[in-house]
Amino acid sequence: MARILVIGAHGKIALLAQPLLAQAEHTVHGAIRNPDHADDVAATGAEPVVADVEQLDQGGVDALVAGYDVVVWSAGAGGGSAERTRAVDQDAALRVLDAVQRTGARLVMVSYFGASRDHGVPEDHSFFAYAEAKSIVDEAIRASGADWVILAPSTLTLDEEGGIEVDEPAGSIEAGEIPRATVARLIAEVVAHPGLRGITVRCNGGSTPVAQALGGLPNMG
């Protein structure tokens, strides 16, 4: 069983993923910025850790992730100012990447289907800062020596959990929709398959059970 830190533990996906991880008998800690969210996180089976990754310097992030086998990034600025988006979705995420490269923890990054350096979002669009941040971080992860998996779900919905359709080979499908509950299951199954590494899982909701779909991917060592 793994020691897992979920960063962004009060997010909608994290609140669904943490019970699955706890039920699998992992030791789960959830990092949150707002201490008022501690009871919600504890109710999922995760131990709340109050830590604002936006404000932590590299030393603080190093201390936060020390001792964990898996670090799940499910945080986000949640829109708003471009400055805060860069601070959270880019700068803080890069500090976490830097930290896990030293500790050897496995990094599971929740990104989005269209994340790419040629994402095509206009600079004057409200989504531009997020698209830039995620693409920069994803590129840095792929170039790193970390043990990583990037999850790139399409548009998120509140529908019930289902299976997935994976963009494998890359470019074989266009972005669609996927329930947050399915992404939560995807996180749990990625954690359960430590041999899956160095791969970006772009996916929509679909008919193939998540575990089965992951089993058909390359890099399953």
Side-chain angles (χ1 to χ4, degrees):
M1 299 298 102
R3 283 180 52 83
I4 302 169
L5 175 67
V6 179
I7 299 175
H10 196 256
K12 292 178 181 178
I13 291 173
L15 289 173
L16 295 170
Q18 284 150 192
L20 302 178
L21 296 169
Q23 289 161 16
E25 300 185 351
H26 298 297
T27 299
V28 186
H29 290 77
I32 49 174
R33 179 175 59 91
N34 186 346
D36 292 342
H37 294 158
D39 288 347
D40 292 341
V41 171
T44 70
E47 179 72 25
V49 176
V50 179
D52 186 350
V53 292
E54 180 183 357
Q55 302 300 326
L56 292 178
D57 61 12
Q58 188 62 59
V61 172
D62 290 351
L64 176 65
V65 307
Y68 292 100
D69 304 305
V70 180
V71 176
V72 178
W73 177 279
S74 190
S81 75
E83 181 180 359
R84 183 159 188 268
T85 295
R86 285 190 293 269
V88 176
D89 295 289
Q90 180 175 318
D91 298 343
L94 289 173
R95 288 193 289 272
V96 169
L97 172 61
D98 191 60
V100 300
Q101 288 184 90
R102 287 193 293 277
T103 67
R106 187 181 187 209
L107 177 62
V108 181
M109 169 60 67
V110 179
S111 186
Y112 77 100
F113 195 101
S116 167
R117 292 303 294 140
D118 59 353
H119 53 72
V121 179
E123 289 190 34
D124 60 354
H125 195 285
S126 61
F127 193 68
F128 177 80
Y130 182 79
E132 278 287 287
K134 297 303 284 186
S135 66
I136 287 169
V137 170
D138 288 2
E139 185 176 70
I141 291 171
R142 295 186 188 105
S144 75
D147 179 356
W148 59 270
V149 174
I150 296 172
L151 304 180
S154 52
T155 300
L156 301 170
T157 74
L158 294 173
D159 295 336
E160 293 185 1
E161 179 187 337
I164 60 174
E165 177 187 23
V166 180
D167 184 30
E168 178 61 40
S172 59
I173 61 173
E174 296 183 358
E177 295 183 339
I178 188 169
R180 288 176 173 83
T182 304
V183 179
R185 178 67 62 183
L186 185 57
I187 291 170
E189 290 293 344
V190 166
V191 171
H193 292 82
L196 182 66
R197 59 182 62 193
I199 190 168
T200 301
V201 184
R202 291 185 181 85
C203 56
N204 298 324
S207 59
T208 304
V210 172
Q212 180 181 332
L214 291 181
L217 294 178
N219 295 357
M220 279 289 286

